[in-house]
Structure formats: C-alpha cells, structure tokens
Amino acid sequence: MPAETPVISITRDGSIAIVTIDNPPVNALGLSLRQALWQTAETLDADPGVAAVVLVCAGRTFIAGADVGEFGAPPVPPHLPDVVARIEAARAPWFAAIHGSALGGGFEVAMGCRFRVAVASASVGLPEVTLGIVPGASGTVRTPRLAGVPAAVQLVTTGRPVKAAEALSLGLIDAIIQGELREGAIAFVRAALTKPLPPAISARPVAAQTTTFWAEQEAAIARRVKGETAPLRALAAIRKATEAPFAEAMAHERETFLELRASDQAAALRHVFFAERAAPRPAHLKSAAPLPLRNAAVIGGGTMGAGIVAALRDAGLPVTLIERDDAALDRGLTNVRAIFDGGVKRGKLTEAQAADRMAGVTTTCDYAALADVDLVIEAVFEEIGVKRAVFAELGRVCRPDTVLATNTSYLDPRCIAEGVAMPGRFIGLHFFSPAHVMKLLEIVPIPETAPETLATGFALGRALGKIPVQAGICEGFIGNRILKRYRAAAESLVRQGIAIEAVDAAMRGYGFAMGPFEAQDLGGLDIAHLQREAARAAGQAVPETLGDILVRAGRKGQKTGGGWYDYPPGERRPQPSATTGTLLSGAIRAGAALTPEAIAKRLVDEMAAEGAALLAEGIARNAADIDLVEIHGYGFPRWRGGPMFATRRKGAAKP
Ligand code: T1G
Ligand code: NAD
C-alpha cells in the first residue's frame, strides 16, 4: 500500500517556513488536514529559527472550506475554530497565500493568519449560508473585525465570494501578488517583518451598529431569502459579534452552526450541492470521449434560438445563426443583440464584451455555411415537418461527424431524426427559456445516439455552465412531464373547491417564486392548450381541463388581460377573477378546505409520485437528477432539496 502523500509539507526559505497543503481535489479541511495543521503549528512554534510562516496550497485552489462530506456525522476534534485560533496564536506570524478560491473554512483559516495575500484571479468568500449553515470557525466574528460590519453582512448573508481586487478594497486581503504566488508571498513577508505587525484579528475592535441598521438589514434579507433560515441567523451572529466579547460571540456562532448543521435545510442544500457537482460528469459516460466543440450553429433565431446563441457566445464559441429568410434573420440578430444589451444595462457585461459577443455571431440563410461546424442546434417551429426539412438539409451539408441536436420540447426526437444520415450523431438538447439564463439542460439521446455524441452533450453543458440531466424519451421528458402532473393536481384542488389564489399562496409559502396558476398566466395558457388540442387531433383521449375552458373563452393569461386571474390595464399583479369563477363554476364542487401546508404537501407529493414513475420507467436515471430538474428548470426552492428529497425525508410519495 503506497504511503499516503502527507496533506502538509514544510519547506524553508531562510527563516521563513513554507507550509504547503496538498489535499485534492480542493484542499478541503477534513479531519486529517485539521490534525496536520494543528501539528504543524506546534512543530513550527518549537523551532526558534522560524520568523514567519507562509501557508500555500497545491492544486487548483486554496482551501475551499470544511469537508462538506463530513457534515452528515458528528464533528470530530480538532475542531476548525480551534485550529484557526491555534494558527492565530502561533509564535511566528502566519501569512495566507491564496490562489483559486479561499472559501468558508478556507477563508476562516486565512483570517487566523496575520496577513492574507492573493493572486488577482483568486476569490474569497463565506458561502456557508448556501449550505444552510453559518460560518462555524469565526467567519461571523472575525470578518466584521477585519473588514467592518457592512462588508461582513454582505459577504456572510449572501454567501457570494468576491474577487481579489474587491477583497483588497474591502480589507479582506492585504495585497495582490503579481507573478508567482509563492515567491511574491515570501517577498511580502520579508517586507512585513520590517514593520510592527498588526494585531491579530480577534484582538481588533468592531464597531457597534444602530438598531435601525440591524432592522434594515433583517428586513432586506427576509425579503430576499423567502423561508431560508441561515442568512438571518448569520446576521444575528454578526450582530452578536458587535455586542459581545470575542469568546462569547464565538460560542454563539458555534452553537448556531451546530444547530443549523443538523437542520433539514442544511441536509437539503448539501444534497443539492453534491448533485450539482455530480451531474455534469455522469459515471456512465466516463469512458466516452466527447467530440471537439470549437464552433456551433443555431437554426432559428426566435425565443429559444436567440437565447441559445447568447449562451454559446457567453461560453466563447463562434456561432453561425441560420434563419429561413433575411427578414427573419434580422429579427433573430435583433433578438440576440437585445440579450447582450440587457446584460450591459444590468452591469453583467461591458459594452466591449457585448460587442465581442455580437462579433462572434455570423448570420446567413445559406446552409452551405455549415460545412465545417462541430455542432448544430435546431430551434425552429415545433412542427415535425419543419424540423425534418431542416435536418434533411443539415444531413446534406454538414460533416458526417457534426453533432446534430434538436431543442424540441414535446416532439419525439426519434421522429425528428428519421432519415437523418449517421443518426449516431443526433441528440436532443432541451434548453429552458431564457436559454442564456436557465441552468437546466435536458439531454435526450435517441436509441442510435453514440456514446461520444452523448458525452459531447454533457461537455457542452459543462462549457455553458449548465446543469445537464439525461432524460429518456417520453412526452415532456422529465421536467414538462412533472409540470403536467403538478398542474393537473393543482386544477384538481380547484375542482374540489380550493380557491385558485389559495393554491398559489400555498406554493409561494412553500418557497416557489410563484404558484402554478399565476405562472401559467405569465407564460400563457395557450401553449399547453395547443399541445392538448394537437394530441386530441391525433386521436389521443385527452380530458378537458379547466385551462381549456379559459383558453376557449379567450383567457390566455396576462397577454390577453386575463387568464386564471384578471390583469386590468397596466396591472401585472394577479387579481382574483369573477369571470373565471363564472366560467369554471360548472366544474367546481362545493368548497373543500385545506391548510397551505396541506396544499403544498399534496402538490409536492404529486411531483414526487411522477418522479417515481419516471425512475421506474427509466426516463430519469436517479432521484437527484429529478431534484436538479425541478430546482434549475421550474423554480423548486433549493433549500427544500427538490421533490424527491423533500418527500423522502417525510415519507416517500407513492408512485
Ligand atoms: N467539501 C468536500 N468536497 C468538495 C468541497 C467541499 N467543501 N468543495 C468541492 N468539493 C468536491 C466536489 O464535490 C467535487 O468532487 C470536487 O471537489 C471538485 O468540485 C467551517 C463549515 C471550490 C469553487 O461551500 O464552491 O467551510 O465530483 O467540481 O468547479 O465555516 O467546488 O470531483 O468527486 O465544484 O473547480 C464552504 C464549495 C464549506 C465551497 C471549486 N465551502 N465548493 O469549483 O470544482 S462549509 C464551500 C465550491 C465551511 C466553515 C464551513 C467549488 C470550488 P468530485 P467542483 P470547481
Ligand atoms: P419561435 O417561434 O420563437 O422561433 C422559431 C424560429 O424558427 C423563428 O424565428 C422562425 O423564423 C425560425 N424558423 C422556422 N423555420 C425555419 C427554417 N426552416 N430554417 C430556419 N429557421 C426557421 O419558437 P421558440 O419558442 O424559439 O421554439 C423553438 C423550439 O424550441 C421549439 O421546438 C420549441 O418547442 C422549443 N422550446 C421552446 C421553449 C419555449 O419556452 N419557448 C422552451 C424549450 C424548447
């Protein structure tokens, strides 16, 4: 058994000791690393020749935090706050040299050091609230002493990391190192040792804030988090740090951390954390090599096509946009430009970046331009004839190894692929609108899809920063099939006499941004209605729905001034509708009554039951994938873990 590589090695540069952590993949602070850090502090304290210590990491990043994999078990000493305190109390001052991301416990260890330096590409942060917890090793107590209370509130209660330049301006780090980090850090140390050292962070003062400040922060966070516990508890811990001595504030933080660590929300967020990291690299594709993705083409510059072009450009891929005629092409290019202009308006893009995005888009109506593209994504009308004609043309002009993908929502990809030469290169890539924003990408192979084509779909998902989930072929794949059941279950409650607005309020209370009926009014009831009508025309027995009744009465949602709700001119907030009540009166029985919790449980159970059916049919590969689809495609509250996780913890739903 080869000796394990030590997680820590120590080298010397004169009187400076360089402590290098090497604990792949992200130098997480598991038990062995905590023990090694403690022992290293003891060893170096005992060496009078050591004047200072540089803490640096091997691999892709500085310490990325505590080992999330340990959270399911009781914490084992040495506990991280004690390791941080031990570093801070070291005889010779420690200096953190940061690359990659110093996150959570990683940044807390860096705050145990007397100084923090970083390369320009590094970031630092305290993302604990995204895991349903608060920092557990002084993040809420040292950060306000290091960077001030407002900066600490922003960093801790949002969980959003900051890049090195912003970290420097906030005082979270002391310098940005140009050139090689280790050497630059050593030079920084030598200069720092010529001057009096600053006090250890735990010994620094922290400014008290007004009651108004805390009330304003609390209200702002409560508005933003909609039911998540950790952000408000993090704010309370920071407040404690401004009102109590260091040790008392540390005890309060630790107590809060341990309580939340065992909570349902933390378990749910850990489930999502690991599911999101597993999704882009599914185990069953380990041996399949993806094909090269150097450029791409999109057919159709409408709602989806324009978003897909933007997503490809955001990932740096040159894109050829094809439309049916010049006028449509102009409209398509206008759609794409509008997306980037929106990015500039929201401060997400500079003018130069937007111009560069647009410069990478080539437009034409001539398919011959696709003779050398690696990937084509079709996003034309949802009509089988139109799609088949497009793929026939693509089969004629593209290379035999060009991956051909359809973005269809409801058509059977096998029917679209009929007659396509080399069907092994065909695949479904179901983006969600807006395609440049929504992270979910359903990847739908047909029976002939080659493993390398499937692997290329996942590689595209990774390149676009999406959450790719493989789906089998059925109507609606995974997400739209669950959506159909969710909507049917919501309509069933209305038929039983539960008020439309009560259903929506219950789902908003559960954590959705909006309920099923207000969401339909926003997207339009006619889309699903047309799908049902097409199925009926094809001879399928599709029962009349309440939505059909409304659409037949011209009530398609916000776009017609009324759907499930009324929308008086200029009013976007849903108003309960007497017209809807009259139209549906024949379909609604006497008023049943359910609590908001019971309504939410009923509907989430239905989603989970459909998920169980999708698993049983092999359409979904695992329950975590279904949770990711619902969270990243349909707004399921992340801190609930998804329908499969939520019901599993409270008694699984029956398929
Ligand atoms: N613990 C355990 N494993 C982790 C991990 C962590 N903190 N972070 C990442 N991994 C694994 C991940 O599962 C994957 O494993 C591999 O590393 C690469 O991850 C006390 C209590 C650091 C920005 O929340 O944000 O500290 O699939 O694909 O894209 O107050 O990972 O290869 O087997 O994401 O280069 C706080 C979470 C913890 C950081 C790198 N820290 N990680 O991104 O790689 S709580 C976090 C990330 C805490 C203290 C509290 C990212 C990254 P596998 P990856 P990446
Ligand atoms: P859209 O009507 O907005 O755009 C379709 C575009 O295709 C139009 O610009 C049209 O000019 C173009 N087009 C039609 N025939 C063409 C041809 N022969 N060659 C080139 N271009 C052609 O439609 P959309 O909403 O963008 O939907 C496109 C596809 O994406 C459909 O299959 C739809 O099911 C799927 N989809 C839609 C959504 C959504 O929310 N809208 C979500 C996921 C997937």
Side-chain angles (χ1 to χ4, degrees):
M1 182 76 159
E4 269 194 37
T5 317
V7 286
I8 279 184
S9 57
I10 302 173
T11 54
R12 293 290 287 271
D13 184 321
S15 63
I16 298 173
I18 295 98
V19 171
T20 303
I21 294 174
D22 188 6
N23 188 25
V26 293
N27 294 311
L29 283 155
L31 175 60
S32 59
L33 179 52
R34 296 198 303 275
Q35 289 169 329
L37 274 171
W38 185 281
Q39 188 50 54
T40 301
E42 299 281 288
T43 305
L44 297 178
D45 267 10
D47 180 345
V50 172
V53 180
V54 171
L55 177 64
V56 69
C57 288
R60 70 172 91 176
T61 178
F62 191 76
I63 305 168
D67 185 338
V68 180
E70 290 183 349
F71 282 17
V76 176
H79 301 305
L80 191 55
D82 301 329
V83 172
V84 174
R86 180 64 189 82
I87 290 170
E88 185 178 71
R91 177 187 54 76
W94 285 47
F95 293 67
I98 299 166
H99 74 293
S101 307
L103 297 173
F107 188 62
E108 288 167 313
V109 165
M111 287 198 286
C113 299
R114 199 60 61 92
F115 291 88
R116 287 144 299 283
V117 299
V119 293
S121 58
S123 56
V124 302
L126 292 164
E128 287 83 344
V129 295
T130 65
L131 291 167
I133 54 179
V134 299
S138 83
T140 66
V141 190
R142 282 194 169 87
T143 310
R145 284 171 165 76
L146 177 62
V149 174
V153 168
Q154 179 65 19
L155 199 70
V156 177
T157 64
T158 65
R160 270 197 296 275
V162 294
K163 294 295 281 180
E166 185 178 356
L168 182 66
S169 67
L170 293 172
L172 294 168
I173 64 173
D174 301 289
I176 289 180
I177 300 297
Q178 305 301 337
E180 203 275 329
L181 175 60
R182 189 179 176 282
E183 299 317 316
I186 290 170
F188 179 89
V189 171
R190 294 201 191 291
L193 291 181
T194 63
K195 296 176 224 136
L197 293 177
I201 293 177
S202 60
R204 298 182 194 181
V206 55
Q209 306 295 311
T210 63
T211 314
T212 309
F213 171 84
W214 296 114
E216 286 169 352
Q217 296 301 322
E218 195 169 326
I221 292 170
R223 275 196 303 275
R224 172 167 57 85
V225 300
K226 297 192 187 71
E228 280 184 81
T229 306
L232 287 171
R233 299 293 296 277
L235 182 70
I238 295 169
R239 177 169 189 171
K240 184 75 175 181
T242 67
E243 296 171 347
F246 183 84
E248 188 182 329
M250 282 298 291
H252 176 266
E253 176 191 80
R254 189 73 186 164
E255 186 188 333
T256 306
F257 165 73
L258 291 174
E259 177 202 332
L260 293 183
R261 184 180 186 270
S263 69
D264 278 353
Q265 288 193 13
L269 288 165
R270 278 197 301 276
H271 160 71
V272 177
F273 171 89
F274 284 114
E276 286 172 340
R277 278 159 182 77
R281 292 178 182 75
H284 69 289
L285 291 175
K286 259 201 171 49
S287 58
L291 299 167
L293 281 174
R294 300 155 307 168
N295 55 35
V298 174
I299 316 294
T303 305
M304 294 308 290
I308 295 168
V309 168
L312 292 164
R313 288 298 302 131
D314 285 342
L317 281 170
V319 182
T320 299
L321 171 62
I322 292 247
E323 258 286 358
R324 46 194 169 142
D325 56 43
D326 288 341
L329 205 50
D330 288 345
R331 283 195 300 275
L333 206 54
T334 302
N335 294 340
V336 175
R337 184 175 293 107
I339 290 172
F340 294 136
D341 289 348
V344 172
K345 279 199 195 80
R346 284 192 302 279
K348 295 221 182 293
L349 287 177
T350 63
E351 294 281 359
Q353 287 169 328
D356 178 62
R357 298 285 205 281
M358 288 305 294
V361 181
T362 306
T363 58
T364 178
C365 295
D366 180 1
Y367 280 66
L370 308 186
D372 191 25
V373 290
D374 293 339
L375 163 71
V376 182
I377 302 173
E378 166 274 313
V380 301
F381 297 138
E382 185 76 339
E383 286 159 26
I384 189 69
V386 177
K387 290 188 185 299
R388 275 204 185 133
V390 166
F391 281 101
E393 192 63 13
L394 294 174
R396 275 192 287 279
V397 302
C398 295
R399 295 189 329 248
D401 67 333
T402 298
V403 172
L404 304 180
T406 177
N407 178 47
T408 187
S409 287
Y410 285 98
L411 296 176
D412 186 330
R414 291 168 297 192
C415 300
I416 298 170
E418 252 173 48
V420 169
M422 325 288 284
R425 57 176 170 169
F426 188 93
I427 194 162
L429 292 178
H430 187 218
F431 289 81
F432 285 72
S433 182
H436 61 294
V437 174
M438 296 297 280
K439 281 204 167 293
L440 179 61
L441 175 63
E442 282 183 321
I443 297 181
V444 188
I446 61 174
E448 296 86 347
T449 299
E452 61 271 14
T453 302
L454 185 54
T456 306
F458 277 88
L460 178 73
R462 291 196 295 274
L464 300 184
K466 299 275 183 192
I467 300 285
V469 171
Q470 186 170 333
I473 295 173
C474 68
E475 188 194 318
F477 311 134
I478 296 173
N480 281 340
R481 181 160 141 186
I482 291 177
L483 176 65
K484 184 175 173 186
R485 174 126 179 211
Y486 172 55
R487 286 176 170 171
E491 282 201 13
S492 165
L493 289 176
V494 170
R495 289 177 189 276
Q496 294 166 39
I498 306 290
I500 291 165
E501 53 273 18
V503 175
D504 280 348
M507 298 320 285
R508 266 186 272 108
Y510 185 80
F512 283 84
M514 58 175 74
F517 297 110
E518 50 200 346
Q520 288 175 61
D521 275 356
L522 184 65
L525 280 70
D526 47 329
I527 298 167
H529 170 71
L530 290 173
Q531 260 123 38
R532 290 190 293 270
E533 289 290 89
R536 290 169 187 138
Q540 289 176 38
V542 179
E544 180 89 340
T545 70
L546 301 181
D548 288 333
I549 297 172
L550 296 177
V551 174
R552 294 192 211 290
R555 296 180 66 84
K556 298 179 183 177
Q558 287 191 22
K559 59 187 170 186
T560 57
W564 295 100
Y565 297 93
D566 286 340
Y567 299 87
E571 177 59 74
R572 294 207 57 188
R573 271 177 300 117
Q575 314 289 322
S577 167
T579 307
T580 296
T582 305
L583 284 168
L584 303 183
S585 58
I588 294 174
R589 293 197 303 278
L594 281 178
T595 63
E597 293 71 22
I599 291 171
K601 181 178 186 322
R602 176 80 63 85
L603 297 190
V604 172
D605 277 354
E606 287 290 320
M607 295 166 90
E610 195 62 26
L614 287 161
L615 286 170
E617 296 167 31
I619 301 292
R621 298 181 65 84
N622 56 63
D625 275 358
I626 295 170
D627 288 334
L628 290 178
V629 166
E630 291 308 306
I631 289 166
H632 288 290
Y634 298 83
F636 197 98
R638 183 189 180 81
W639 49 272
R640 299 261 190 195
M644 308 310 282
F645 184 88
T647 47
R648 183 177 59 195
R649 278 178 81 83
K650 295 186 174 47
K654 302 291 173 286

